[in-house]
Amino acid sequence: MLVNTKEMFKQAYDGGYAVGAFNVNNMEIIQGITTAGAKRRAPLILQVSSGARKYANHEYLVKLVEAALEINDLPIALHLDHGDTFELCKSCVDGGFTSVMIDGSHHSYEDNVKLTRQVVEYAHDHGVTVEGELGRLAGIEDAVNVSAQDASYTNPAEVQDFVERTGVDSLAIAIGTSHGAYKFKPGQTPQLRFDILEEVSKRLPGFPIVLHGASSVIPEYVKMINQYGGEMPDAIGIPEDMLRQAAGMAVCKINIDSDLRLAMTAAIRKHFAENPTHFDPRQYLSPARALIQELVEHKITKVLGCENKA
Ligand code: G3H
Ligand code: 13P
Ligand code: ZN
């Protein structure tokens, strides 16, 4: 069933687990994720960035998700990732999404409140839930490239006012995660500001928090990519024990895109290295889809804690 995130997050908060929000761009990715969710009986969020929408077309992605729902009986939210304008959010609400993010984190605080409030009013009238963002992550977001110098942690003193004035259903915060495969410098020990998360949840009791940039950049995939002809520099992601800790706290949604990209690329590189004469896309997309399924099952069972919660 296509659902919004309201009940999903309430159960995740009360149950001390998080729901995985996986970025989707094509049929094989949607199949790999939803087959994993069905096998592990886990609720899922399938999220679409504006880049994904440009690549695959809104209608294709909605229909693919609808097809996945006909095959797998699961609670799935179809979510806009990093919406940057009211118009984009409105178009996703009108076009069948059940959840949207309005990312006003690059605006001034007051402009962020204003824009987010506008999206909430429209979305709530249509039964769609809204995620807002306070604080800035380093890394590449859809329309916005936030450099490490411009990144800033969420200020816990602002969260209560922001949530009250905007009416958002969940809030993405910046505690040291970042987008992409290069989250920390080589040799650096990954650290997250759990004190900020703790302080935010004290000020917003029972309120769902979202972590963006939460891929672990699974070393096995980076190794596989380089073993089969890739040239990725050392890449460090968010350690799994930190994500488990966050999932047991107020974090109800954990965003994962880079790990899916790495899995897909690793599987395809391996396939071509071992089968250099192949040219049928089904031959190399099958192992890619299978590795995505394996990755998502791993996240559900070992990181998010949402197995058997569907
Ligand atoms: O946060 C960004 C997501 O990883 C989506 O990336 O804009 O390249 O689709 P994308
Ligand atoms: P990663 O790049 O860590 O997978 O983060 C994805 C994300 O936050 C999508 O919004
Ligand atoms: Zn993000």
Side-chain angles (χ1 to χ4, degrees), residues 218-230 262-263 265-271 291:
I218 297 183
E220 184 191 323
Y221 298 156
V222 177
K223 209 171 133 198
M224 217 164 127
I225 287 172
N226 287 341
Q227 181 183 349
Y228 295 110
L262 292 169
T265 303
I268 292 172
R269 279 202 176 275
K270 180 170 188 284
H271 184 86
L291 198 57

Side-chain angles (χ1 to χ4, degrees), residues 23 25 47 49-52 81-82 140-143 179-180 212-213 255-258 261:
N23 285 73
N25 294 281
Q47 55 186 11
S49 67
S50 70
D81 191 27
H82 294 286
I140 297 170
E141 299 190 351
D142 242 349
H179 291 102
H212 281 251
N255 284 13
I256 297 158
D257 188 7
S258 297
R261 297 178 178 194

Side-chain angles (χ1 to χ4, degrees), residues 22 34 36 49 58 66 70 78 108 137 148 153 168 176 195-196 198 206 210 213 226 236 258 268 274 282 293:
F22 300 99
T34 52
S49 67
H58 181 98
E66 283 171 3
E70 272 180 36
L78 177 54
S108 71
L137 272 69
Y153 295 119
V168 281
D195 58 319
I196 295 179
E198 190 75 56
V210 177
N226 287 341
I236 308 173
S258 297
I268 292 172
E274 290 171 353
R282 292 169 297 188
Q293 183 187 334

Side-chain angles (χ1 to χ4, degrees), residues 71-88:
I71 293 163
N72 308 290
D73 168 33
L74 275 183
I76 295 181
L78 177 54
H79 174 78
L80 169 66
D81 191 27
H82 294 286
D84 59 347
T85 60
F86 172 78
E87 290 69 29
L88 173 58

Side-chain angles (χ1 to χ4, degrees), residues 182-202:
Y182 307 102
K183 301 185 191 299
F184 301 98
K185 295 201 172 66
Q188 205 181 351
T189 308
Q191 268 176 340
L192 295 187
R193 294 288 303 275
F194 281 102
D195 58 319
I196 295 179
L197 173 57
E198 190 75 56
E199 192 53 42
V200 165
S201 48
K202 257 190 221 153

Side-chain angles (χ1 to χ4, degrees), residues 5-293:
T5 57
K6 196 91 197 160
E7 188 55 30
M8 207 180 243
F9 286 166
K10 191 186 172 326
Q11 290 182 17
Y13 197 100
D14 294 345
Y17 62 88
V19 179
F22 300 99
N23 285 73
V24 298
N25 294 281
N26 70 8
M27 182 184 78
E28 284 77 9
I29 296 173
I30 292 173
Q31 288 175 329
I33 298 165
T34 52
T35 306
K39 192 169 156 203
R40 298 294 176 170
R41 299 303 313 151
L44 292 171
I45 298 170
L46 300 180
Q47 55 186 11
V48 172
S49 67
S50 70
R53 224 163 154 255
K54 276 187 209 114
Y55 171 77
N57 181 304
H58 181 98
E59 274 70 25
Y60 271 106
L61 291 170
V62 171
K63 297 285 180 212
L64 284 168
V65 172
E66 283 171 3
L69 279 159
E70 272 180 36
I71 293 163
N72 308 290
D73 168 33
L74 275 183
I76 295 181
L78 177 54
H79 174 78
L80 169 66
D81 191 27
H82 294 286
D84 59 347
T85 60
F86 172 78
E87 290 69 29
L88 173 58
C89 293
K90 179 179 182 298
S91 145
C92 288
V93 170
D94 295 346
F97 282 39
T98 54
S99 174
V100 293
M101 174 190 194
I102 176 70
D103 180 357
S105 61
H106 47 288
H107 293 302
S108 71
Y109 180 80
E110 284 303 324
D111 287 351
N112 189 358
V113 168
K114 205 165 139 200
L115 176 61
T116 306
R117 176 75 221 160
Q118 189 190 8
V119 171
V120 167
E121 276 169 10
Y122 189 79
H124 282 185
D125 274 351
H126 295 78
V128 169
T129 40
V130 180
E131 173 185 328
E133 179 166 326
L134 262 186
R136 288 189 202 183
L137 272 69
I140 297 170
E141 299 190 351
D142 242 349
V144 203
N145 183 348
V146 185
S147 68
Q149 303 94 279
D150 289 338
S152 61
Y153 295 119
T154 301
N155 177 1
E158 289 178 344
V159 296
Q160 214 178 346
D161 180 74
F162 186 81
V163 167
E164 277 169 17
R165 286 172 63 198
T166 58
V168 281
D169 303 281
S170 62
L171 183 68
I173 62 168
I175 59 166
T177 61
S178 60
H179 291 102
Y182 307 102
K183 301 185 191 299
F184 301 98
K185 295 201 172 66
Q188 205 181 351
T189 308
Q191 268 176 340
L192 295 187
R193 294 288 303 275
F194 281 102
D195 58 319
I196 295 179
L197 173 57
E198 190 75 56
E199 192 53 42
V200 165
S201 48
K202 257 190 221 153
R203 288 162 190 258
L204 296 172
F207 191 82
I209 299 301
V210 177
L211 273 196
H212 281 251
S215 278
S216 290
V217 191
I218 297 183
E220 184 191 323
Y221 298 156
V222 177
K223 209 171 133 198
M224 217 164 127
I225 287 172
N226 287 341
Q227 181 183 349
Y228 295 110
E231 294 186 3
M232 280 189 71
D234 281 347
I236 308 173
I238 313 297
E240 291 187 344
D241 59 337
M242 291 188 189
L243 295 171
R244 276 194 293 272
Q245 189 181 336
M249 297 168 72
V251 171
C252 294
K253 173 174 180 270
I254 290 189
N255 284 13
I256 297 158
D257 188 7
S258 297
D259 279 337
L260 294 167
R261 297 178 178 194
L262 292 169
M264 194 156 194
T265 303
I268 292 172
R269 279 202 176 275
K270 180 170 188 284
H271 184 86
F272 278 126
E274 290 171 353
N275 304 277
T277 60
H278 280 183
F279 61 92
D280 178 344
R282 292 169 297 188
Q283 290 171 318
Y284 57 86
L285 290 175
S286 297
R289 181 172 59 186
L291 198 57
I292 283 178
Q293 183 187 334

